[in-house]
Amino acid sequence: MTDQTTAALADGIARARGTDYLHMRALLSPDESALLDKVRDFGERELLPIVNDYWERGEFPFEVLPKLRDLQIVGDTMSGYGITPMTAVGQGLVSYELGRIDGSIGTFMGVHVGLAMQSVYKLGSEEQRERWLPAMARLERIGAFALTEPDHGSDSVALEATATRDGDHWVLNGAKRWPGNAVWCDVIVVFARDTADGKVKAFVVEKDDPGYGATKIEGKVSLRMVQNADIVLDGVRVPDDRRLVHCNGFPDVAKVLMGTRNMVAWASAGHAVAAYEIALTYAQRRIQFGKPIAATQGVQAKLVEMLAEVTAMQLYCIRLGRLLDEGAVTDTMAALAKYFCSVKARHVCRLARDVLGGNGITLDFHVMRHLCDMEALVTYEGTAEVQSLIVGRDITGSGAFA
Ligand SMILES: Cc1cc2nc3c(=O)[nH]c(=O)nc-3n(C[C@H](O)[C@H](O)[C@H](O)COP(=O)(O)OP(=O)(O)OC[C@H]3O[C@@H](n4cnc5c(N)ncnc54)[C@H](O)[C@@H]3O)c2cc1C
């Protein structure tokens, strides 16, 4: 294949779109359907042409921030504070379409909106919401979320960072690992244990607060555009009005995490549908032994397996979103959806990579980037094993964590 053919094929493949075998579209409201089209067009027009380059360089594309703001998709289901409201299904569709193009941009949004803004929204007072949310909705101030610690990932409930009251301030000490956006964010929601009552509390730390330090985690081969950090809290003093007043224990943290598991489930479905569409188009065009590889039983079996998994993910996600909109979702439902979609999406990306043969490992054809990015989605917001343990405890009545 010449370079020109490869580029044309990659472009055509990347623009294959709209897999919807069981007519998911019919389950959307007109507003949700319009939102899907809006984000899809934006992703294909503005993001797809630039993501491989940024991914390879491991840099964040700051140029997209004003465009994301103008698209009015920053704020998911929150209302007020300059946010354009959407349903939980609509929020999911945004994650789906961003995931379909690129995991890093989707993850940036997941951290900024789903974790940082939602922490302020769900755990903050009215005054605290007014103080931070409007500028965050305009992407003028970027947020991050620091829960995980070097020694406490899956068992984040055992976090060791401390918060000690000192007059009208709190003094924060400890270390955090992995927060996305943290290298360059403006504000970061930090969870720490109150040394007086032992409860986990939330604090908004500003990037210039003395004692706060963030060092980029180098050498990642997944979500390369997202800048994750190792964080040091060395006697960081924050005024009491930066403690999010409705966070008074780990169950309050869990309220934030439930919504983001919905977003990760949808994003996983987006990665999977991209991989499937690329593999399908490639297989129809790639000639071996005198015919398209799509005309072989082995490749068709892979494509049908991918379609079956993608369709199941779409239905999982729509149902989860509707339950969220009805206020009827439980953390175990969100855990099941995150578990199913992330594990299946990684599998679909692997199958797609196989179908593309050698071309499957190049950035030009995108599937390897999706596969690499899926490795992080399987892990963050609670690993697949931890989601399985959460659901396992629910159905058996026996916790098997320890
Ligand atoms: C790209 C990326 C972005 C992230 N962004 C953020 C962020 O913005 N903010 C934040 O706070 N955190 C973030 N995280 C952290 C993430 O939530 C943790 O990585 C995750 O919870 C797993 O923790 P860990 O990496 O310490 O793995 P560990 O907890 O050490 O787990 C290692 C392995 O052991 C398994 N395991 C652990 N316990 C059990 C058990 N009881 N039974 C069976 N298996 C078990 C796990 O499933 C996993 O396979 C991010 C992580 C990544 C990779």
Side-chain angles (χ1 to χ4, degrees):
M1 238 184 296
T2 65
D3 280 355
Q4 227 173 2
T5 316
T6 307
L9 187 55
D11 187 54
I13 284 168
R15 283 165 205 286
R17 59 193 333 226
T19 301
D20 187 13
Y21 211 73
L22 291 189
H23 298 193
M24 172 179 87
R25 189 62 95 147
L27 303 176
L28 305 182
S29 71
D31 282 352
E32 289 164 345
S33 196
L35 180 64
L36 173 69
D37 289 334
K38 179 171 80 167
V39 182
R40 180 169 292 173
D41 289 344
F42 169 79
E44 291 175 352
R45 197 180 59 252
E46 301 285 347
L47 301 181
L48 195 59
I50 63 170
V51 288
N52 279 344
D53 188 39
Y54 277 104
W55 196 93
E56 192 164 27
R57 285 189 279 127
E59 292 173 9
F60 187 79
F62 291 99
E63 66 187 88
V64 307
L65 293 184
K67 297 172 183 173
L68 287 170
R69 181 199 58 217
D70 293 347
L71 211 57
Q72 299 186 317
I73 56 169
V74 182
D76 61 48
T77 55
M78 291 170 267
S79 59
Y81 317 100
I83 293 164
T84 304
M86 60 182 81
T87 62
V89 170
Q91 166 207 340
L93 292 167
V94 171
S95 299
Y96 177 77
E97 282 303 322
L98 292 179
R100 186 170 155 273
I101 300 295
D102 176 67
S104 297
I105 306 284
T107 297
F108 159 77
M109 288 282 282
V111 172
H112 174 69
V113 182
L115 291 172
M117 288 180 71
Q118 282 284 12
S119 292
V120 174
Y121 189 79
K122 288 184 173 156
L123 308 178
S125 66
E126 189 53 40
E127 184 278 323
Q128 290 173 323
R129 290 172 167 192
E130 290 286 357
R131 196 183 332 163
W132 287 298
L133 290 178
M136 292 175 85
R138 293 192 299 272
L139 291 175
E140 289 166 6
R141 304 200 83 198
I142 302 301
F145 176 94
L147 175 65
T148 306
E149 300 186 347
D151 295 331
H152 297 288
S154 297
D155 66 345
S156 54
V157 68
L159 65 85
E160 291 180 67
T162 57
T164 305
R165 186 77 189 245
D166 180 19
D168 57 2
H169 279 69
W170 293 82
V171 181
L172 306 181
N173 283 292
K176 297 286 175 181
R177 182 161 167 82
W178 285 116
N181 309 343
V183 178
W184 48 271
C185 69
D186 301 287
V187 290
I188 179 163
V189 178
V190 171
F191 295 89
R193 196 173 297 285
D194 185 343
T195 50
D197 64 10
K199 298 267 170 50
V200 173
K201 298 190 174 160
F203 303 85
V204 177
V205 171
E206 308 245 354
K207 66 176 173 199
D208 297 326
D209 284 336
Y212 170 78
T215 309
K216 182 182 173 188
I217 297 175
E218 299 284 1
K220 280 192 307 152
V221 289
S222 177
L223 298 176
R224 283 180 52 74
M225 287 182 237
V226 178
Q227 318 270 295
N228 298 85
D230 275 312
I231 287 176
V232 175
L233 303 158
D234 183 10
V236 180
R237 288 179 68 81
V238 295
D240 185 49
D241 69 3
R242 284 207 248 141
R243 182 178 81 77
L244 297 177
V245 296
H246 298 305
C247 185
N248 291 300
F250 202 83
D252 294 324
V253 185
K255 289 177 194 162
V256 179
L257 296 176
M258 190 169 75
T260 52
R261 285 181 183 146
N262 172 52
M263 291 167 87
V264 179
W266 279 95
S268 300
H271 284 279
V273 78
Y276 164 72
E277 290 171 350
I278 292 166
L280 174 62
T281 314
Y282 187 91
Q284 289 168 323
R285 296 179 188 185
R286 175 69 173 166
I287 308 293
Q288 289 294 286
F289 301 101
K291 65 177 184 181
I293 59 171
T296 67
Q297 288 182 352
V299 170
Q300 285 188 10
K302 284 190 175 117
L303 292 170
V304 172
E305 183 181 352
M306 293 160 78
L307 174 63
E309 300 292 20
V310 161
T311 304
M313 282 179 238
Q314 290 172 335
L315 295 172
Y316 248 93
C317 288
I318 286 270
R319 184 68 192 131
L320 185 71
R322 289 281 173 251
L323 286 168
L324 268 165
D325 283 327
E326 292 163 13
V329 89
T330 64
D331 58 348
T332 62
M333 291 175 185
L336 185 67
K338 197 271 177 179
Y339 167 82
F340 180 84
C341 293
S342 63
V343 170
K344 293 295 186 182
R346 177 168 65 180
H347 179 60
V348 167
C349 290
R350 277 190 188 145
L351 288 174
R353 205 222 61 72
D354 281 349
V355 169
L356 269 73
N359 282 329
I361 68 163
T362 68
L363 272 175
D364 280 349
F365 289 85
H366 305 285
V367 287
M368 194 68 194
R369 176 170 53 78
H370 283 291
L371 175 54
C372 290
D373 287 353
M374 270 314 305
E375 293 294 343
L377 270 70
V378 169
T379 294
Y380 69 39
E381 307 295 338
T383 66
E385 289 81 5
V386 167
Q387 307 303 330
S388 164
L389 289 169
I390 291 170
V391 179
R393 179 177 57 191
D394 185 47
I395 60 175
T396 65
S398 302
F401 290 85

